Amino acid sequence: MAYKSGDDTSGLPAFFSDLVRCETRLYNALNDCLRERHGIVTSQFELLRRLRDHPGTRVADLAAEFAIGIGATSKSVDRLERHGWVARQRNPADRRSSLLALTDEGLRLVDAADRTFTERLTELIGGALDEAATAAAARAFAHLRSALERDRIGMPTG
């Protein structure tokens, strides 16, 4: 049901609270598992996975995808580069930016971490939701995310 002006929206604060608390708990559980098994945290995994799945990504592209500032994104990429997982390459279309690429070590790491991530996420969600509920939630969140991104809601200013 879509909420309209004048509707009883008393359920929205509870929905928001549940959404945020679920996200935090899932993120923390995945963070602990990735750190223990691969020596990385969830935010690093997400950046590495994005770079694997979207070759030629720029720092600005990552910032837009994750709705975080360019400065914070650049610092995160710097850390990945220091670990030897990411390399910056000259962008032939724009000398002011670099294209990011995974190193062989970065690719091995993200592939191994991806298996761990998927297994743990399946355990966490599969133990609480059946397949139909998971699919319905996925559709709802994809629709909400699309609307927020379309309207540029929640984008960082710097």
Side-chain angles (χ1 to χ4, degrees):
M1 166 182 154
Y3 286 95
K4 297 179 182 152
S5 180
D7 285 352
D8 174 18
T9 58
S10 61
L12 286 178
F15 169 77
F16 177 80
S17 182
D18 286 343
L19 173 65
V20 170
R21 299 320 174 269
C22 286
E23 186 274 339
T24 300
R25 283 170 172 76
L26 287 170
Y27 203 91
N28 290 345
L30 292 163
N31 200 58
D32 293 345
C33 186
L34 290 169
R35 182 183 295 125
E36 178 185 312
R37 294 186 192 172
H38 304 284
I40 61 173
V41 294
T42 307
S43 59
Q44 291 172 317
F45 168 71
E46 288 191 289
L47 290 174
L48 292 169
R49 183 175 57 180
R50 182 73 184 177
L51 293 174
R52 179 196 63 195
D53 297 345
H54 298 87
T57 296
R58 300 169 304 138
V59 167
D61 301 326
L62 290 174
E65 171 65 20
F66 294 108
I68 54 179
I70 289 178
T73 305
S74 186
K75 287 179 183 177
S76 294
V77 170
D78 289 345
R79 282 188 218 98
L80 297 175
E81 193 174 24
R82 278 195 300 275
H83 283 291
W85 301 328
V86 171
R88 294 177 194 255
Q89 302 171 340
R90 193 170 155 266
N91 184 347
D94 180 1
R95 285 190 262 182
R96 295 169 294 157
S97 71
S98 298
L99 302 178
L100 304 172
L102 290 179
T103 63
D104 290 343
E105 183 180 347
L107 182 58
R108 283 191 297 277
L109 173 62
V110 73
D111 285 346
D114 200 9
R115 288 187 293 277
T116 298
F117 177 88
T118 301
E119 289 168 8
R120 184 66 177 130
L121 189 58
T122 300
E123 291 169 5
L124 293 166
I125 292 178
L129 300 175
D130 65 20
E131 199 171 312
T134 301
R139 282 191 305 276
F141 289 125
H143 183 75
L144 178 58
R145 178 181 176 177
S146 178
L148 293 170
E149 288 176 351
R150 177 196 65 228
D151 296 339
R152 301 199 43 79
I153 294 172
M155 295 303 291
T157 57

